[in-house]
Amino acid sequence: MRLKQDFFEQLSEFYSQVFPLGISNPHWLAWSQDAADLIGIKQPSDELLQGLSGNAQVDGASYYAQVYSGHQFGGYSPQLGDGRSIILGEALGPQGAWDVALKGAGPTPYSRHGDGRAVMRSAVREFLISEALHHLHIPTTRALAVIGSDLPVWRETQETAAITVRLAKSHIRFGHFEYFCHSERGAPAKLKQLLDFTIRQHYPGLSCDAAGYKAWFTQVVSDTAKMIAHWQAIGFAHGVMNTDNMSILGDTFDFGPFAFLDTFKEDFICNHSDPEGRYAFGQQPGIGLWNLQRLAQALSPIIASDDLIASLNQYQVELVEHYLLLMRGKLGLMISETEADQDEHDLALIGGFTGLMERNQLDHTNTWRRFGQLDPNSNQSSLRDNFVDLNGFDTWYQVYQARLGKVDDVGLWQSERNRVNPKYILRNYLAQEAIIAVEQGDLKPLQQLQHVLQKPFDEQVEFENMAKRPPDWGQGLIMSCSS
């Protein structure tokens, strides 16, 4: 572990030193060796358990919580911060440095009267989704472990406390820049210090001048657009796209009431606290731009407005380009250089298929997975029987086949579809079943689910039941922010 000296020397207004409160009877509930390898940890140990549970000092750790602002459900909150997360510092691994944070390690100055704890169910969910998204090739923070305890905490009922050990390439959020811009805390001088630190820390190829600032913001726009394109292609709903939950690196960050789509619905809402659907699945691309606009406003004292606007204008271009790349892969389409308007044609083709899925109430992941079973040269599609609107599907399929053309190697084409259309996702009901088992002292369902999610594109016949459409009680589960 090492300290970020520049951060502590220059940005003292951005953090408070705080020490974790230990938990009683700490024990490993989940462990990701894949994540551990990133920071050179060979295996879990009793010494590490005591350190990451807050019961012992971790060598070299600095222990701090950050303060930031943010737009929450559209309204600006001038001071937020790490209310239940304590950052230990950086751990160096084979591929670079990662922040190590303990989520649920006790109160900080930014807890807003909360206890700073995480409950077991939310800690397990964050662990599972962090690792699931990574293995689906979606940019994300990682989860090293979940540490359980017998410490009682109260939410709606009494539960037990747990800690998620999060790894992030950066904990800098859009809200960090908003914090100084909308306050009297020395902006824009402090704003510039933060931006210069961010560039030196994470974008060493850029200079800390007007040209470098413009290039940096352009990269943030691009990375955000690509992240959200991934969400839309895979069917992931984040649930709480507040600006304080947006990483400047374009990594999926801060998990609460997330969900993968079961039945495809553009207006699917996964957050019980979002009845108006601000963060509904189909709204995510627009919210991404809205959040970037708020970041641009915060940066306007030091980056020219024309440069900010020029970068923002690339958001939709980048989003559509990357979304098309991902969706063409799912459909097995090549880009035709002879059609100037091929993007519009393909977007219409994609939209036609997702519209059919929605009208016919089909399972999103399973329907895409069945694409790998098609013989695209045959007029008799194996997908057809899943649709009630047969005429609608037949019409779409004819257009699709005309766009696809003849496939020379059907077996290769099918295997390529299965490499981009996963069979296994973290369905909320599967997470809930694993959590119930953990509450009863049985870790095996959690371990099996973690194992399956590490290979989401493989068949894994022994776990076929985890790929099935959810039972009625598990269909489209909506979670609260405490999830």
Side-chain angles (χ1 to χ4, degrees):
M1 205 76 66
R2 69 176 185 180
L3 307 184
K4 294 181 180 180
Q5 293 299 335
D6 286 348
F7 183 92
F8 290 103
E9 291 171 2
Q10 299 182 22
L11 302 172
S12 59
E13 292 91 344
F14 269 99
Y15 74 93
S16 294
Q17 190 163 32
V18 60
F19 295 97
L21 294 180
I23 53 177
S24 53
N25 187 30
H27 49 277
W28 301 111
L29 293 180
W31 174 266
S32 171
Q33 189 57 47
D34 186 55
D37 290 341
L38 295 172
I39 56 174
I41 297 176
K42 297 184 187 285
Q43 61 184 7
S45 67
D46 290 341
E47 180 183 5
L48 187 65
L49 176 63
Q50 293 301 319
L52 297 181
S53 63
N55 292 332
Q57 178 86 18
V58 175
D59 289 343
S62 46
Y63 297 108
Y64 63 96
Q66 297 182 85
V67 62
Y68 38 83
S69 303
H71 281 82
Q72 298 189 309
F73 292 91
Y76 182 65
S77 298
Q79 181 172 305
L80 299 168
D82 294 330
R84 57 174 180 166
S85 180
I86 298 174
I87 301 172
L88 274 62
E90 285 184 328
L92 293 176
Q95 300 176 6
W98 292 78
D99 286 352
V100 181
L102 308 181
K103 191 167 181 179
T108 76
Y110 318 115
S111 296
R112 292 177 287 172
H113 307 293
D115 61 13
R117 294 297 189 183
V119 295
M120 182 275 291
R121 56 185 165 86
S122 66
V124 166
R125 279 172 51 80
E126 175 149 353
F127 174 85
L128 287 171
I129 189 59
S130 300
E131 296 309 285
L133 289 176
H134 168 71
H135 291 286
L136 287 166
H137 313 309
I138 297 175
T140 183
T141 55
R142 301 296 301 276
L144 172 66
V146 178
I147 300 172
S149 77
D150 57 11
L151 179 70
V153 292
W154 283 91
R155 295 300 180 257
E156 290 83 3
T157 60
Q158 181 175 303
E159 303 184 53
T160 55
I163 293 174
T164 305
V165 185
R166 177 168 64 195
L167 306 182
K169 287 174 284 186
S170 176
H171 276 85
I172 299 175
R173 312 151 186 262
F174 289 12
H176 277 97
F177 295 92
E178 292 184 283
Y179 180 69
F180 273 126
C181 179
H182 300 297
S183 71
E184 297 178 357
R185 298 177 177 87
K190 288 295 180 184
L191 196 63
K192 184 177 184 303
Q193 286 183 1
L194 172 63
L195 182 52
D196 289 349
F197 168 80
T198 302
I199 289 174
R200 287 196 304 271
Q201 183 79 4
H202 299 296
Y203 304 84
L206 299 181
S207 55
C208 294
D209 54 21
Y213 295 160
K214 178 182 179 182
W216 171 80
F217 185 66
T218 300
Q219 187 65 53
V220 173
V221 170
S222 175
D223 290 341
T224 302
K226 289 178 180 178
M227 174 186 72
I228 295 176
H230 273 288
W231 293 358
Q232 302 308 114
I234 209 70
F236 174 74
H238 183 279
V240 197
M241 289 180 65
N242 297 332
T243 57
D244 56 294
N245 292 339
M246 299 291 290
S247 164
I248 50 94
L249 297 184
D251 287 336
T252 313
F253 195 42
D254 270 5
F255 300 103
F258 65 83
F260 285 95
L261 295 176
D262 291 319
T263 300
F264 184 87
K265 291 177 62 178
E266 281 282 351
D267 61 356
F268 172 63
I269 301 169
C270 64
N271 186 349
H272 186 268
S273 303
D274 187 21
E276 296 181 357
R278 175 180 178 82
Y279 298 141
F281 172 72
Q283 298 296 321
Q284 293 182 141
I287 291 295
L289 177 58
W290 193 91
N291 288 344
L292 285 164
Q293 289 169 338
R294 304 291 77 73
L295 177 60
Q297 285 180 337
L299 294 164
S300 60
I302 53 176
I303 302 180
S305 296
D306 287 348
D307 289 343
L308 292 168
I309 292 170
S311 297
L312 288 171
N313 286 340
Q314 290 302 304
Y315 173 79
Q316 184 173 354
V317 175
E318 291 267 5
L319 178 75
V320 170
E321 180 179 304
H322 203 66
Y323 178 73
L324 275 170
L325 176 69
L326 295 169
M327 298 303 285
R328 281 171 173 146
K330 294 171 80 69
L331 287 165
L333 300 176
M334 301 294 290
I335 299 175
S336 173
E337 297 179 358
T338 60
E339 293 259 5
D341 57 352
Q342 190 65 69
D343 285 359
E344 290 187 17
H345 284 233
D346 285 353
L347 283 172
L349 187 67
I350 294 161
F353 188 66
T354 57
L356 277 169
M357 278 201 290
E358 181 161 17
R359 289 193 299 276
N360 289 267
Q361 299 185 31
L362 297 186
D363 185 271
H364 177 262
T365 300
N366 289 346
T367 302
W368 280 114
R369 182 67 175 188
R370 290 188 184 110
F371 247 89
Q373 301 168 11
L374 285 177
D375 177 351
N377 295 328
S378 172
N379 293 329
Q380 299 298 316
S381 168
S382 59
L383 271 178
R384 189 175 187 269
D385 290 343
N386 295 291
F387 291 81
V388 175
D389 180 8
L390 296 179
N391 290 333
F393 175 79
D394 289 342
T395 299
W396 179 87
Y397 191 62
Q398 289 173 7
V399 176
Y400 168 72
Q401 282 189 303
R403 166 67 177 90
L404 179 66
K406 186 178 184 301
V407 174
D408 294 328
D409 189 334
V410 172
L412 176 63
W413 183 92
Q414 290 174 337
S415 65
E416 288 175 343
R417 303 292 68 69
N418 287 342
R419 285 200 290 268
V420 294
N421 292 322
K423 181 164 185 173
Y424 300 96
I425 56 168
L426 179 58
R427 298 182 188 268
N428 269 336
Y429 91 96
L430 292 174
Q432 186 61 26
E433 288 180 338
I435 288 166
I436 291 171
V438 173
E439 290 174 338
Q440 297 171 348
D442 183 4
L443 297 182
K444 185 176 180 180
L446 173 58
Q447 293 167 349
Q448 287 183 336
L449 181 56
Q450 178 189 355
H451 173 80
V452 169
L453 295 173
Q454 288 174 337
K455 301 177 181 180
F457 302 98
D458 294 355
E459 280 298 323
Q460 304 187 69
V461 177
E462 67 273 30
F463 298 112
E464 189 78 20
N465 61 312
M466 292 190 187
K468 292 180 180 178
R469 189 169 183 156
D472 289 344
W473 70 265
Q475 184 71 232
L477 288 179
I478 296 176
M479 299 293 172
S480 69
C481 286
S482 68
S483 301

